[in-house]
Structure formats: structure tokens, C-alpha cells
Amino acid sequence: MAGSWTPDGFILDLDGTVYAGSRPIDGAAETIGYLRSRGKRVVFLSNRGNISRRMCRERLAAMGIPCEAEDIILTSSVVARYLREHEPDARVWVLGEQGLRDELALHGVRFAVRPQDADRLVVTLHETLTYAELNDAFRAVRAGARIIATNRDKTFPGEDGESIDVGAVLAALEHATGVAADVVVGKPSPAMARAALDRLGLPPERCLIVGDSPGSDIALGKRAGIRTALVLSGSVTREEAEAMAPAERPDWMLDSLADLRRLLEEMER
Amino acid sequence: MAGSWTPDGFILDLDGTVYAGSRPIDGAAETIGYLRSRGKRVVFLSNRGNISRRMCRERLAAMGIPCEAEDIILTSSVVARYLREHEPDARVWVLGEQGLRDELALHGVRFAVRPQDADRLVVTLHETLTYAELNDAFRAVRAGARIIATNRDKTFPGEDGESIDVGAVLAALEHATGVAADVVVGKPSPAMARAALDRLGLPPERCLIVGDSPGSDIALGKRAGIRTALVLSGSVTREEAEAMAPAERPDWMLDSLADLRRLLEEMER
């Protein structure tokens, strides 16, 4: 499809592509090891905002996928960078977990003491979300805080099946307050593409993004000029993928990350 | 406004009208005592679906407002009656608390063992909602359960301020699944008006509904032909109330339930 082109840099989605919950996708570690043995550069790009890079690095290491923290680009760090660069004085209320707070603190973001004192509400997924936390977030926005969200995905492939994601939590807050999130940093936003390409040190046309989400991973590639491979190990089935509009279709379709080696070998043939 | 008309039956909203959280509205008990001493009939009508009538009756008694369980009409009992009458074979998954389960069980409603086995998801507010519960509800709907909700209010006046209500939880589920609730029993639905009038044993034109919510209480009155009084002790301010479209305005406006005695005396003058 892309002639004799082969990628030098790989941008790999995590949930549904490298792992599903705490379980690695079969062959993921071997494939990533193979890419590295061929001198390819690899970064990981996830819309998850409830974990820190340190936590994510430990999880990958336990799956036999060693990497540096800087090879992992999460919305938690991208949202922290956004706030530091664009709104350094904002006092922030967090609807999220310790992983997000750690990343924000690491970047010098200021925290509000009470919801009603916040200039910004940062929203991400967390699987221990409670009504009391949702209500605090609601009160922050009612009192004037604007909403910044790590992503707007509706669902993600969790450990025990497809699970509800940030998009639904945002819908709840937006419905109750009438205020829409004005910044969403996650894929397919250009902020995520830029962070990945910066780390790879490569132009978009020399990279391939591999992910399971048409709306996040494939859309990011289309917008940023990065070629795309959709894996069927996560959010969508082959039937759903084949029903996509031509403009939204990936350049390649793979059953899982384990097939990436074969694809690369075919490209080089 | 209504000439020499005086009501014989009173339909009183609870949250924001009789109490705010666990705190009674000043003068509520005295006013209700006065109505009864004048031979007026009183029922309580609430969109709350997380409590049973028994729990609500105990709360009112503690505030000096004794009543029978049948004088309390909650969405939990109306949703239970709806299911028993219209869908007696449905297996139900509950996003709610024990109070709702108690009412459903009392009406002989069947429960599903797993979310994916449910024909119906019943949604109500509960202040101990967790992500895991929200996710189970999401999975019930993804597997085919249709949504019945106790109400669609965006917020309610809670103990420590305005709080997020069922509407927001529904928005989250509807956003994640693409499936809208097909039955919402709460005010302003005719099912609630009918339940209140049945208990009072009076036609709508002999009753007055008193509540703090234009969208729930006043709208129910307008639809059912029941005269309306808006109290300003809950969700809306006088400025907001005066900005309402003429067709949506209440017949009377009171600072709180405590002013109902004065209104009745004026009517009888």
C-alpha cells in the first residue's frame, strides 16, 4: 500500500494494543523486543490520565517491556505540561487519582484547597470514582472553574471487558452544569502527536501509529500525517473496522500487535 | 388570583420544600400541622428514588411530621409499580441503593443476577455511587437492557448545597452507550400526578402542589391541571423565578412552606 516505505519510529497505544487491563496482549513484549533489535524507536501513547509515567513504566517492566519514563506519553503529563505553559497561575481541582496529582505536582501546578476556589477542573478517568468526588467537581464548575479533560473517549478495554471512560464522566458534568470542557488534550489532539514525535525525534512521515481506537489512534494519525495500523485486539471488531468510511480507514489492519513483525517483514521484502 | 378558591388537598414536594438534606425547612412541621388541623389532606411527592417510604417516613417523623407510608409517594415506589404493571417478567439490574431494592422487592419485581442478564436497568440517584456500579450499569445496557429512570433532574438541594442528580448519571450512561432512557417516571410525569391524586382521593382542581422546582413541581401541576405554588427555599431564586416564561409561572410564589398558612388565610378572607 505504501510502496517500499518502512517506518523508523513506532507510536504504540497501550490499552487494547499492548495490554488489556493488567494482562499483556499475546506477543506484545516479543514484538517490541524485535522492533528494538532492528534499531526502531518506540514510544507509548495513552489517553489514560489516572496513572503516572512511573506507575506505567513499572507495569510495562512487569510484562517484560522495559522502557524509560520519557518513552511513555500519558494525558496526565500532557495536561500538566499544558497547564504549566498556558495557565501557570491557575489553581486546579482534580477529579482523578494520585497518579494524576503526582504528574501535576511534578510540573509545579498549583492545587485549590476547596472546589469553589478552583480556576480549573482537571478531569480524568479513575476506577475508584465516587459520587462525593463527582459532586465536588460539579461544585468547582458551578463556582466558575473551567474544565480541562485528559480525553473524551466513551469506553476503553478494561481488564474484565469494555468499560466506561472519561467521555461519560464529562457528559455527566456538562449536563449538570451546562459548561463544556474547553480543553481536551488526549488523542486525537495535536498535543499528543507533537509530544510523541518530539520524543521520537522523527518527522511524521517516518512514523507508524498502532492502536485499537479509530476515533483516537487512527484519527490522530490522519490529522498529524502519520501512517496508521489498527489492531483488532481492543475496542473494535473486524466488521466494525470494515464498515468505516474510506477517509477514516487505517493504512493497515492487524489482528494484534503480534502481527506487526510480519507486516514489517512484508514492507521490507 | 383564583377568586374564592381554596384547596382541600396539598401535594408537597420534599427536598427543598419540606427539608434540605437532613435539616427541616423552618416552619415546615408547624405548617403541615396547621393544614391537618384545618382538615386538609396532605401527601408528599418526591423524585428521590434512593429511599424507601419507610425510611422517608422515619425521617419526617424525626422532624415532627408524622404520616403514613402511603402518604409518601416516591419515584422508587412508582417505578416499582410501573414494572409490576407493564413488565412483570423483566429481570432488573439496579443502579441505586437498598431503599430502591426494598421497594422493588416489595412489589415482586425480579432481579437479574448479572448485569448482562438484565432486561431493565433502573437508575436513581445514590450518594454512594461508585465507578464500579456505574460500569455494571453500562454493561447491562450494552448487553441489551433498556433504561428506566426515577427522574431526570439535573441537581437537587442537598444537605451541604446544590448537588448533582440523576440527570447527570443518565447523561453519562446515555453518552457511553448511545441508548436513551425510554421511561422516566418522576415529576413532571403524569404517573406521579396520578399517584398523588389517587392517594388524596380528590380531583386535580381541588388540589395545590407546592414545590421548589419549576421543571418538576410546577410543570407537573400545569400538565395535570393542579394549581401551583413555588417556594424559594430550594433550587431557584426569586430573580430566576420572575424570569420564567408566563406559561411556566406558578400561580403563587412563597419564600418558604412557612408562608403557606398566610396564603391559605388570604384565600379564605
Short mmCIF file of all heavy atoms in Angstrom, two decimals, chain B residues 33-68:
data_model
loop_
_atom_site.label_atom_id
_atom_site.label_comp_id
_atom_site.label_asym_id
_atom_site.label_seq_id
_atom_site.Cartn_x
_atom_site.Cartn_y
_atom_site.Cartn_z
N GLY B 33 -48.85 20.73 60.34
CA GLY B 33 -49.76 20.54 61.46
C GLY B 33 -50.98 21.43 61.33
O GLY B 33 -52.13 20.99 61.57
N TYR B 34 -50.78 22.67 60.92
CA TYR B 34 -51.89 23.61 60.73
C TYR B 34 -52.84 23.12 59.64
O TYR B 34 -54.07 23.12 59.82
CB TYR B 34 -51.34 25.00 60.38
CG TYR B 34 -52.42 25.98 59.98
CD1 TYR B 34 -53.26 26.57 60.92
CD2 TYR B 34 -52.62 26.29 58.63
CE1 TYR B 34 -54.26 27.44 60.53
CE2 TYR B 34 -53.62 27.16 58.23
CZ TYR B 34 -54.44 27.74 59.19
OH TYR B 34 -55.44 28.59 58.80
N LEU B 35 -52.30 22.69 58.52
CA LEU B 35 -53.14 22.20 57.42
C LEU B 35 -54.02 21.06 57.91
O LEU B 35 -55.23 21.02 57.66
CB LEU B 35 -52.27 21.70 56.24
CG LEU B 35 -51.45 22.76 55.50
CD1 LEU B 35 -50.59 22.10 54.42
CD2 LEU B 35 -52.36 23.82 54.87
N ARG B 36 -53.40 20.12 58.62
CA ARG B 36 -54.17 18.97 59.11
C ARG B 36 -55.23 19.39 60.12
O ARG B 36 -56.33 18.84 60.13
CB ARG B 36 -53.22 17.95 59.71
CG ARG B 36 -52.45 17.22 58.61
CD ARG B 36 -51.37 16.37 59.21
NE ARG B 36 -50.78 15.48 58.21
CZ ARG B 36 -49.63 14.86 58.37
NH1 ARG B 36 -48.92 15.05 59.48
NH2 ARG B 36 -49.17 14.06 57.44
N SER B 37 -54.88 20.37 60.95
CA SER B 37 -55.86 20.84 61.95
C SER B 37 -57.06 21.47 61.27
O SER B 37 -58.15 21.55 61.84
CB SER B 37 -55.20 21.85 62.90
OG SER B 37 -55.03 23.11 62.24
N ARG B 38 -56.87 21.93 60.02
CA ARG B 38 -57.96 22.51 59.25
C ARG B 38 -58.69 21.47 58.39
O ARG B 38 -59.48 21.80 57.52
CB ARG B 38 -57.42 23.63 58.35
CG ARG B 38 -56.78 24.82 59.09
CD ARG B 38 -57.85 25.65 59.79
NE ARG B 38 -59.01 25.84 58.93
CZ ARG B 38 -59.07 26.74 57.93
NH1 ARG B 38 -58.07 27.55 57.71
NH2 ARG B 38 -60.15 26.82 57.18
N GLY B 39 -58.30 20.18 58.59
CA GLY B 39 -58.96 19.11 57.85
C GLY B 39 -58.47 18.93 56.43
O GLY B 39 -59.12 18.24 55.63
N LYS B 40 -57.34 19.56 56.09
CA LYS B 40 -56.80 19.42 54.74
C LYS B 40 -56.08 18.07 54.61
O LYS B 40 -55.48 17.57 55.56
CB LYS B 40 -55.81 20.55 54.44
CG LYS B 40 -56.35 21.95 54.65
CD LYS B 40 -57.51 22.26 53.70
CE LYS B 40 -57.96 23.71 53.84
NZ LYS B 40 -59.17 23.99 53.03
N ARG B 41 -56.10 17.51 53.42
CA ARG B 41 -55.35 16.28 53.17
C ARG B 41 -53.98 16.64 52.60
O ARG B 41 -53.87 17.56 51.79
CB ARG B 41 -56.09 15.39 52.17
CG ARG B 41 -57.42 14.92 52.75
CD ARG B 41 -58.13 13.99 51.82
NE ARG B 41 -59.58 14.15 52.02
CZ ARG B 41 -60.50 13.66 51.21
NH1 ARG B 41 -60.14 12.98 50.13
NH2 ARG B 41 -61.77 13.84 51.46
N VAL B 42 -52.97 15.88 53.02
CA VAL B 42 -51.59 16.18 52.61
C VAL B 42 -50.90 14.91 52.12
O VAL B 42 -50.96 13.88 52.80
CB VAL B 42 -50.78 16.77 53.80
CG1 VAL B 42 -49.32 16.99 53.40
CG2 VAL B 42 -51.40 18.07 54.30
N VAL B 43 -50.28 14.98 50.93
CA VAL B 43 -49.36 13.90 50.53
C VAL B 43 -48.01 14.52 50.17
O VAL B 43 -47.93 15.71 49.84
CB VAL B 43 -49.87 13.06 49.32
CG1 VAL B 43 -51.13 12.30 49.66
CG2 VAL B 43 -50.05 13.94 48.09
N PHE B 44 -46.99 13.68 50.26
CA PHE B 44 -45.64 14.11 49.94
C PHE B 44 -45.21 13.43 48.64
O PHE B 44 -45.42 12.23 48.47
CB PHE B 44 -44.69 13.73 51.08
CG PHE B 44 -45.11 14.34 52.39
CD1 PHE B 44 -45.86 13.60 53.30
CD2 PHE B 44 -44.80 15.66 52.69
CE1 PHE B 44 -46.28 14.16 54.51
CE2 PHE B 44 -45.21 16.23 53.89
CZ PHE B 44 -45.96 15.47 54.80
N LEU B 45 -44.62 14.22 47.75
CA LEU B 45 -44.32 13.72 46.41
C LEU B 45 -42.88 14.07 46.07
O LEU B 45 -42.53 15.25 45.93
CB LEU B 45 -45.27 14.40 45.41
CG LEU B 45 -45.29 13.87 43.98
CD1 LEU B 45 -45.86 12.46 43.95
CD2 LEU B 45 -46.13 14.79 43.09
N SER B 46 -42.03 13.05 45.94
CA SER B 46 -40.60 13.34 45.72
C SER B 46 -40.03 12.54 44.57
O SER B 46 -40.39 11.39 44.35
CB SER B 46 -39.83 13.00 47.00
OG SER B 46 -38.45 13.04 46.75
N ASN B 47 -39.11 13.16 43.86
CA ASN B 47 -38.41 12.46 42.78
C ASN B 47 -37.25 11.61 43.29
O ASN B 47 -36.58 10.94 42.51
CB ASN B 47 -37.88 13.47 41.74
CG ASN B 47 -38.91 13.72 40.65
OD1 ASN B 47 -39.99 13.14 40.67
ND2 ASN B 47 -38.57 14.56 39.69
N ARG B 48 -37.02 11.64 44.59
CA ARG B 48 -35.95 10.80 45.14
C ARG B 48 -36.34 9.34 44.99
O ARG B 48 -37.48 8.95 45.26
CB ARG B 48 -35.71 11.12 46.61
CG ARG B 48 -35.10 12.49 46.81
CD ARG B 48 -33.72 12.59 46.15
NE ARG B 48 -32.71 11.92 46.91
CZ ARG B 48 -31.95 12.52 47.83
NH1 ARG B 48 -32.07 13.80 48.03
NH2 ARG B 48 -31.06 11.83 48.50
N GLY B 49 -35.37 8.55 44.53
CA GLY B 49 -35.66 7.14 44.33
C GLY B 49 -34.70 6.26 45.11
O GLY B 49 -34.71 5.05 44.98
N ASN B 50 -33.86 6.87 45.93
CA ASN B 50 -32.87 6.05 46.64
C ASN B 50 -33.33 5.66 48.04
O ASN B 50 -32.62 4.98 48.75
CB ASN B 50 -31.52 6.78 46.72
CG ASN B 50 -31.61 8.11 47.46
OD1 ASN B 50 -32.65 8.75 47.45
ND2 ASN B 50 -30.53 8.51 48.09
N ILE B 51 -34.52 6.14 48.41
CA ILE B 51 -35.00 5.79 49.74
C ILE B 51 -36.33 5.05 49.60
O ILE B 51 -37.03 5.17 48.60
CB ILE B 51 -35.18 7.04 50.63
CG1 ILE B 51 -35.98 8.13 49.91
CG2 ILE B 51 -33.82 7.60 51.03
CD1 ILE B 51 -36.25 9.35 50.77
N SER B 52 -36.67 4.27 50.62
CA SER B 52 -37.97 3.62 50.64
C SER B 52 -38.92 4.52 51.41
O SER B 52 -38.51 5.45 52.10
CB SER B 52 -37.86 2.25 51.33
OG SER B 52 -37.51 2.43 52.68
N ARG B 53 -40.22 4.25 51.29
CA ARG B 53 -41.20 5.05 52.02
C ARG B 53 -41.00 4.93 53.52
O ARG B 53 -41.16 5.89 54.26
CB ARG B 53 -42.62 4.63 51.61
CG ARG B 53 -42.99 5.16 50.23
CD ARG B 53 -44.27 4.53 49.74
NE ARG B 53 -44.08 3.08 49.56
CZ ARG B 53 -45.03 2.22 49.30
NH1 ARG B 53 -46.28 2.66 49.19
NH2 ARG B 53 -44.78 0.95 49.15
N ARG B 54 -40.59 3.72 53.94
CA ARG B 54 -40.36 3.51 55.36
C ARG B 54 -39.24 4.43 55.88
O ARG B 54 -39.38 5.11 56.90
CB ARG B 54 -39.97 2.04 55.59
CG ARG B 54 -39.84 1.62 57.04
CD ARG B 54 -39.42 0.16 57.17
NE ARG B 54 -38.20 -0.16 56.40
CZ ARG B 54 -36.97 0.21 56.76
NH1 ARG B 54 -36.78 0.93 57.84
NH2 ARG B 54 -35.92 -0.12 56.02
N MET B 55 -38.13 4.50 55.10
CA MET B 55 -37.03 5.36 55.51
C MET B 55 -37.46 6.83 55.53
O MET B 55 -37.10 7.60 56.42
CB MET B 55 -35.87 5.21 54.52
CG MET B 55 -35.17 3.85 54.59
SD MET B 55 -34.29 3.44 53.04
CE MET B 55 -32.99 4.67 53.04
N CYS B 56 -38.25 7.21 54.53
CA CYS B 56 -38.67 8.60 54.42
C CYS B 56 -39.62 8.95 55.56
O CYS B 56 -39.55 10.04 56.14
CB CYS B 56 -39.35 8.78 53.07
SG CYS B 56 -39.73 10.48 52.68
N ARG B 57 -40.49 8.02 55.88
CA ARG B 57 -41.45 8.23 56.97
C ARG B 57 -40.70 8.44 58.29
O ARG B 57 -41.06 9.31 59.09
CB ARG B 57 -42.35 6.99 57.07
CG ARG B 57 -43.44 7.10 58.07
CD ARG B 57 -44.20 5.80 58.14
NE ARG B 57 -45.18 5.85 59.21
CZ ARG B 57 -45.59 4.81 59.90
NH1 ARG B 57 -45.12 3.61 59.62
NH2 ARG B 57 -46.47 4.96 60.85
N GLU B 58 -39.63 7.67 58.51
CA GLU B 58 -38.85 7.84 59.74
C GLU B 58 -38.18 9.21 59.77
O GLU B 58 -38.12 9.86 60.81
CB GLU B 58 -37.79 6.73 59.85
CG GLU B 58 -38.40 5.40 60.25
CD GLU B 58 -37.44 4.23 60.04
OE1 GLU B 58 -36.24 4.47 59.80
OE2 GLU B 58 -37.91 3.07 60.11
N ARG B 59 -37.70 9.66 58.62
CA ARG B 59 -37.05 10.96 58.56
C ARG B 59 -38.05 12.08 58.89
O ARG B 59 -37.75 12.99 59.66
CB ARG B 59 -36.46 11.18 57.17
CG ARG B 59 -35.69 12.48 57.06
CD ARG B 59 -35.30 12.81 55.62
NE ARG B 59 -34.20 11.97 55.15
CZ ARG B 59 -33.49 12.28 54.06
NH1 ARG B 59 -33.76 13.37 53.35
NH2 ARG B 59 -32.51 11.49 53.67
N LEU B 60 -39.23 11.99 58.29
CA LEU B 60 -40.25 13.01 58.54
C LEU B 60 -40.69 13.00 60.01
O LEU B 60 -40.85 14.05 60.64
CB LEU B 60 -41.46 12.79 57.62
CG LEU B 60 -41.23 13.17 56.15
CD1 LEU B 60 -42.38 12.67 55.28
CD2 LEU B 60 -41.06 14.68 55.98
N ALA B 61 -40.86 11.79 60.57
CA ALA B 61 -41.28 11.68 61.97
C ALA B 61 -40.26 12.37 62.88
O ALA B 61 -40.62 13.08 63.82
CB ALA B 61 -41.46 10.21 62.35
N ALA B 62 -38.97 12.18 62.56
CA ALA B 62 -37.91 12.79 63.36
C ALA B 62 -37.95 14.32 63.28
O ALA B 62 -37.42 15.01 64.15
CB ALA B 62 -36.55 12.27 62.92
N MET B 63 -38.59 14.84 62.23
CA MET B 63 -38.70 16.29 62.06
C MET B 63 -40.04 16.81 62.63
O MET B 63 -40.40 17.97 62.42
CB MET B 63 -38.63 16.65 60.58
CG MET B 63 -37.27 16.39 59.96
SD MET B 63 -37.29 16.71 58.18
CE MET B 63 -35.57 16.30 57.77
N GLY B 64 -40.78 15.93 63.31
CA GLY B 64 -42.05 16.35 63.88
C GLY B 64 -43.18 16.34 62.86
O GLY B 64 -44.18 17.04 63.00
N ILE B 65 -43.02 15.53 61.77
CA ILE B 65 -44.05 15.45 60.74
C ILE B 65 -44.48 13.99 60.62
O ILE B 65 -43.98 13.25 59.77
CB ILE B 65 -43.52 15.98 59.39
CG1 ILE B 65 -42.96 17.40 59.56
CG2 ILE B 65 -44.63 15.95 58.33
CD1 ILE B 65 -42.19 17.93 58.36
N PRO B 66 -45.40 13.55 61.46
CA PRO B 66 -45.83 12.15 61.37
C PRO B 66 -46.71 11.95 60.14
O PRO B 66 -47.43 12.86 59.73
CB PRO B 66 -46.64 11.95 62.66
CG PRO B 66 -47.13 13.32 63.02
CD PRO B 66 -46.12 14.30 62.50
N CYS B 67 -46.62 10.78 59.54
CA CYS B 67 -47.51 10.45 58.42
C CYS B 67 -47.50 8.95 58.20
O CYS B 67 -46.68 8.23 58.77
CB CYS B 67 -47.10 11.17 57.15
SG CYS B 67 -45.53 10.61 56.46
N GLU B 68 -48.43 8.46 57.36
CA GLU B 68 -48.42 7.05 56.99
C GLU B 68 -47.52 6.86 55.78
O GLU B 68 -47.35 7.79 54.98
CB GLU B 68 -49.84 6.59 56.65
CG GLU B 68 -50.75 6.60 57.89
CD GLU B 68 -52.17 6.20 57.53
OE1 GLU B 68 -52.34 5.29 56.69
OE2 GLU B 68 -53.10 6.81 58.09
#
